[in-house]
Amino acid sequence: MLSVAKFMKVGAAVCALAAPMATALAQTIYDNIPSTLAGNYASLGYQATSTREFGDRINFDGTSRALSTVTITMSSWARSEDYGGAATFTHPITLNIYQAGSGNLPGALIVSKTQTFTIPFRPTGYGFNGIASNIVFDFSTSNITLPNSVVYGVVYNTQSYGPAPIGAPGPYNSLNVGLNDAPGGGITVGSNDDLDDTMWNTSFAGFYTDGGAGGVGIFRRDTAWAPYVPMAQFDTATLSLNAANCVTDAGRTLTVTVNKSATGQNALGGQFFIQYDNSILTFVSAAPAGPFTTVVYSDTLTPGLIDYAVGVPFGGTGTAAASPMATLTFTANQDVCATASNLVTFRPHSPPSRITNSLAAPIAATLADLPSISIDTTAPSITCPPDVTVNADAGLCTASIG
């Protein structure tokens, strides 16, 4: 089915003495999918528009780049009553991620991922011409480090189009990719290379704004799409060192927590290779945290170095949610009357600090070190101004009695 969007397109061809508690790097690095989906969105139908691949060129926010998941919003126009009242169907869908490239074409392919997803049928009596839902591609064990900008493309087969056309009708003929028409494309994290452009591979020349002059049946830039922007969310995995408290005295305790962000798969454990400034800090203890209650390995004998690994109990399922994984405790052994950096950091190691899934496969993560903090034993002082002497004479009060 052809969406409203494409009809339009075709027609127009706090701690006062120290730094505040650190937070993990943002997990989401690009997003224009609302947190709560509407009933449906404008969309591009692959069968109706002779499409093989469709996507966009985007730019990421922040510095976290260890790819975890990519979410794409789909719109299903297939009616339940046309398929025996079924609620869902399944279909394999591929996501390609390329170097950003320049001009009309994407750069080299970075990664391609195919998963089979459960797609809802449009319910009988539904108030929209399609039903919106999200699909989530899991890259958490792919060890992909993204550049700052990419081109992504969504690929799937229909009866007549796609890399391997099915040759028979089915609900996939009515499966579309969602488009956000909110101001600015609805982008809340990251940015779009050009809000007026998409990346598109259609075999029908007339669908391209340039009438096919730039090539037909190739994945390339197309213009005049405003205000519609393909809907996607890119998330990354992070391991971060967070200060759970502020140190205001030499000899006081500094507690540092190793945290993981949300991951596409359940994490069952992690290993951490950490260094700390032992001229300022004395290591006290390490302990597992969150659901990771089992110490798998611990080596803290070398001053300044910590090797530590934790896991869930035998038979545990782990968690894909953001969670603490370990707690490290130190004492400050000197007064640092200035902001101190590099107190506790991940250190280079082979293998690296990382998370592990249920198949013992590593989940690569961007590493975020403990930010600068201050250790200050100097108590605050206030210098009062000198006494102020003023004339307090109330003056003379008289009255006249007539």
Side-chain angles (χ1 to χ4, degrees), residues 295-336:
V295 177
V296 177
Y297 180 78
S298 178
D299 181 359
T300 59
L301 297 179
T302 303
L305 302 180
I306 300 171
D307 295 353
Y308 202 63
V310 297
V312 298
F314 182 76
T317 58
T319 180
S323 172
M325 299 191 76
T327 299
L328 312 175
T329 304
F330 305 86
T331 56
N333 54 36
Q334 72 177 59
D335 177 19
V336 180

Coordinates of all heavy atoms in Angstrom, one line a residue, residues 295-336:
V295 N 31.6 -13.2 42.3 CA 33.0 -12.7 42.0 C 33.6 -13.8 41.2 O 33.8 -14.9 41.7 CB 33.8 -12.4 43.2 CG1 35.2 -12.0 42.7 CG2 33.2 -11.2 44.0
V296 N 33.9 -13.6 39.9 CA 34.5 -14.6 39.0 C 36.1 -14.5 39.1 O 36.7 -15.5 39.1 CB 34.1 -14.4 37.6 CG1 34.8 -15.3 36.6 CG2 32.6 -14.5 37.5
Y297 N 36.6 -13.3 39.3 CA 38.1 -13.2 39.3 C 38.4 -11.8 40.0 O 37.6 -10.8 39.8 CB 38.7 -13.2 37.9 CG 40.2 -13.0 38.0 CD1 41.0 -14.1 38.3 CD2 40.8 -11.8 37.7 CE1 42.4 -14.0 38.3 CE2 42.2 -11.6 37.7 CZ 43.0 -12.7 38.0 OH 44.3 -12.6 38.0
S298 N 39.4 -11.8 40.8 CA 39.8 -10.6 41.5 C 41.3 -10.6 41.7 O 41.9 -11.5 42.2 CB 39.1 -10.5 42.9 OG 39.5 -9.3 43.6
D299 N 41.9 -9.5 41.2 CA 43.4 -9.3 41.5 C 43.6 -7.8 41.8 O 43.5 -7.0 40.9 CB 44.2 -9.7 40.3 CG 45.7 -9.5 40.5 OD1 46.1 -9.1 41.6 OD2 46.5 -9.9 39.6
T300 N 43.8 -7.5 43.1 CA 44.0 -6.2 43.5 C 45.3 -6.0 44.3 O 45.4 -5.0 45.0 CB 42.8 -5.8 44.4 OG1 42.8 -6.7 45.6 CG2 41.5 -5.9 43.7
L301 N 46.3 -6.9 44.0 CA 47.5 -6.9 44.8 C 48.5 -5.8 44.4 O 49.3 -5.3 45.1 CB 48.1 -8.2 44.8 CG 47.3 -9.4 45.4 CD1 48.1 -10.7 45.3 CD2 47.0 -9.1 46.9
T302 N 48.4 -5.4 43.1 CA 49.4 -4.5 42.6 C 48.9 -3.1 42.8 O 47.8 -2.7 42.3 CB 49.6 -4.7 41.1 OG1 50.1 -6.0 40.8 CG2 50.6 -3.7 40.5
P303 N 49.6 -2.2 43.6 CA 49.1 -0.9 43.8 C 48.8 -0.1 42.5 O 49.6 -0.1 41.6 CB 50.2 -0.2 44.6 CG 50.9 -1.4 45.3 CD 50.9 -2.5 44.3
G304 N 47.7 0.5 42.4 CA 47.3 1.2 41.3 C 46.5 0.5 40.2 O 46.0 1.0 39.2
L305 N 46.4 -0.9 40.4 CA 45.8 -1.7 39.3 C 44.7 -2.6 40.0 O 44.9 -3.2 41.1 CB 46.8 -2.6 38.6 CG 48.0 -1.9 37.9 CD1 48.8 -2.9 37.2 CD2 47.4 -0.9 36.9
I306 N 43.6 -2.8 39.3 CA 42.5 -3.6 39.7 C 42.1 -4.4 38.5 O 41.7 -3.9 37.4 CB 41.3 -2.9 40.3 CG1 41.7 -2.0 41.5 CG2 40.2 -3.8 40.6 CD1 40.6 -1.1 42.0
D307 N 42.1 -5.8 38.6 CA 41.5 -6.7 37.6 C 40.3 -7.4 38.3 O 40.5 -8.0 39.4 CB 42.5 -7.7 37.1 CG 43.6 -7.1 36.4 OD1 43.6 -5.9 36.1 OD2 44.6 -7.9 36.0
Y308 N 39.1 -7.3 37.8 CA 37.9 -7.7 38.5 C 36.9 -8.2 37.5 O 36.7 -7.6 36.4 CB 37.3 -6.6 39.3 CG 36.5 -7.0 40.5 CD1 37.0 -7.7 41.5 CD2 35.1 -6.7 40.5 CE1 36.2 -8.1 42.6 CE2 34.3 -7.0 41.6 CZ 34.9 -7.8 42.6 OH 34.1 -8.1 43.7
A309 N 36.3 -9.4 37.8 CA 35.2 -9.9 36.9 C 34.1 -10.4 37.8 O 34.3 -11.0 38.9 CB 35.8 -11.1 36.1
V310 N 32.9 -10.2 37.4 CA 31.7 -10.6 38.1 C 30.7 -11.3 37.2 O 30.8 -11.2 36.0 CB 31.0 -9.3 38.8 CG1 31.9 -8.7 39.8 CG2 30.5 -8.4 37.7
G311 N 29.8 -12.0 37.8 CA 28.7 -12.7 37.0 C 27.5 -12.9 37.9 O 27.5 -12.6 39.1
V312 N 26.4 -13.4 37.2 CA 25.2 -13.7 37.9 C 25.4 -15.1 38.5 O 26.3 -15.9 38.1 CB 24.0 -13.7 37.0 CG1 23.8 -12.3 36.5 CG2 24.1 -14.7 35.9
P313 N 24.6 -15.5 39.5 CA 24.7 -16.9 40.1 C 24.4 -17.9 39.0 O 23.8 -17.6 38.0 CB 23.6 -16.9 41.2 CG 23.4 -15.5 41.5 CD 23.6 -14.7 40.2
F314 N 24.9 -19.1 39.2 CA 24.6 -20.2 38.3 C 23.1 -20.4 38.0 O 22.3 -20.4 38.9 CB 25.2 -21.6 38.8 CG 25.0 -22.7 37.9 CD1 25.8 -22.9 36.8 CD2 24.0 -23.7 38.1 CE1 25.7 -23.9 35.9 CE2 23.8 -24.7 37.2 CZ 24.7 -24.9 36.1
G315 N 22.8 -20.4 36.7 CA 21.4 -20.5 36.3 C 20.7 -19.2 36.2 O 19.5 -19.1 35.7
G316 N 21.4 -18.1 36.5 CA 20.8 -16.7 36.5 C 20.6 -16.3 35.0 O 21.4 -16.7 34.1
T317 N 19.7 -15.4 34.8 CA 19.4 -14.9 33.4 C 20.0 -13.6 33.1 O 20.0 -13.1 32.0 CB 17.9 -14.8 33.2 OG1 17.3 -13.9 34.2 CG2 17.2 -16.2 33.3
G318 N 20.6 -12.9 34.1 CA 21.2 -11.6 33.9 C 20.2 -10.5 33.6 O 19.0 -10.7 33.9
T319 N 20.6 -9.5 33.0 CA 19.7 -8.3 32.7 C 20.2 -7.6 31.5 O 21.4 -7.4 31.3 CB 19.6 -7.4 33.9 OG1 18.7 -6.3 33.6 CG2 21.0 -6.8 34.3
A320 N 19.2 -7.1 30.7 CA 19.5 -6.2 29.6 C 19.4 -4.7 30.1 O 19.8 -3.8 29.3 CB 18.6 -6.4 28.4
A321 N 18.8 -4.5 31.2 CA 18.6 -3.1 31.7 C 19.9 -2.5 32.2 O 20.9 -3.2 32.5 CB 17.6 -3.1 32.9
A322 N 19.9 -1.2 32.3 CA 21.0 -0.5 32.9 C 21.2 -0.9 34.3 O 20.2 -1.1 35.1 CB 20.8 1.1 32.8
S323 N 22.4 -1.2 34.8 CA 22.6 -1.8 36.1 C 24.0 -1.5 36.6 O 24.9 -1.5 35.8 CB 22.3 -3.3 36.0 OG 22.6 -3.9 37.3
P324 N 24.2 -1.4 38.0 CA 25.5 -1.5 38.5 C 26.1 -2.9 38.4 O 25.3 -3.8 38.4 CB 25.3 -1.0 40.0 CG 23.9 -1.4 40.3 CD 23.1 -1.2 39.0
M325 N 27.4 -3.0 38.3 CA 28.0 -4.3 38.2 C 29.0 -4.6 39.3 O 29.3 -5.7 39.7 CB 28.7 -4.5 36.8 CG 27.7 -4.3 35.6 SD 28.4 -4.8 34.1 CE 28.4 -6.6 34.2
A326 N 29.7 -3.5 39.8 CA 30.6 -3.7 40.9 C 30.8 -2.4 41.6 O 30.6 -1.3 41.0 CB 32.0 -4.2 40.3
T327 N 31.3 -2.5 42.8 CA 31.5 -1.3 43.7 C 33.0 -1.3 44.1 O 33.4 -2.3 44.7 CB 30.6 -1.2 44.9 OG1 29.2 -1.2 44.4 CG2 30.9 0.0 45.7
L328 N 33.7 -0.3 43.9 CA 35.1 -0.2 44.4 C 35.2 0.9 45.4 O 34.7 2.0 45.3 CB 36.0 0.2 43.2 CG 35.8 -0.6 41.9 CD1 36.7 0.0 40.8 CD2 36.2 -2.1 42.1
T329 N 35.9 0.6 46.5 CA 36.0 1.5 47.6 C 37.5 1.9 47.9 O 38.4 1.1 47.9 CB 35.5 0.9 48.9 OG1 34.1 0.5 48.7 CG2 35.5 1.9 50.1
F330 N 37.7 3.2 48.0 CA 39.0 3.8 48.3 C 38.9 4.8 49.5 O 37.9 5.2 49.8 CB 39.5 4.6 47.0 CG 39.5 3.8 45.8 CD1 38.3 3.8 45.0 CD2 40.6 3.2 45.3 CE1 38.3 3.1 43.8 CE2 40.6 2.5 44.1 CZ 39.5 2.4 43.3
T331 N 40.1 5.1 50.0 CA 40.2 6.2 50.9 C 41.2 7.2 50.3 O 42.2 6.8 49.6 CB 40.7 5.8 52.3 OG1 42.0 5.1 52.2 CG2 39.7 4.9 53.0
A332 N 41.0 8.5 50.6 CA 41.9 9.5 50.1 C 43.0 9.7 51.2 O 42.7 9.8 52.3 CB 41.1 10.9 50.0
N333 N 44.2 9.6 50.7 CA 45.4 9.6 51.6 C 46.1 10.9 51.6 O 47.2 11.1 52.2 CB 46.3 8.5 51.4 CG 46.8 8.4 49.9 OD1 47.0 9.4 49.3 ND2 46.9 7.2 49.4
Q334 N 45.6 11.9 50.9 CA 46.2 13.3 51.0 C 45.1 14.3 50.6 O 44.1 13.9 50.0 CB 47.4 13.4 50.1 CG 47.0 13.4 48.6 CD 48.3 13.6 47.7 OE1 49.2 12.8 47.8 NE2 48.3 14.6 47.0
D335 N 45.4 15.5 51.0 CA 44.5 16.6 50.7 C 44.9 17.1 49.3 O 46.0 17.4 49.0 CB 44.7 17.7 51.7 CG 43.8 18.9 51.4 OD1 42.9 18.8 50.6 OD2 44.1 20.0 51.9
V336 N 43.9 17.1 48.4 CA 44.1 17.7 47.1 C 43.2 18.9 47.0 O 42.0 18.8 46.9 CB 43.7 16.7 46.0 CG1 43.9 17.3 44.6 CG2 44.5 15.4 46.1

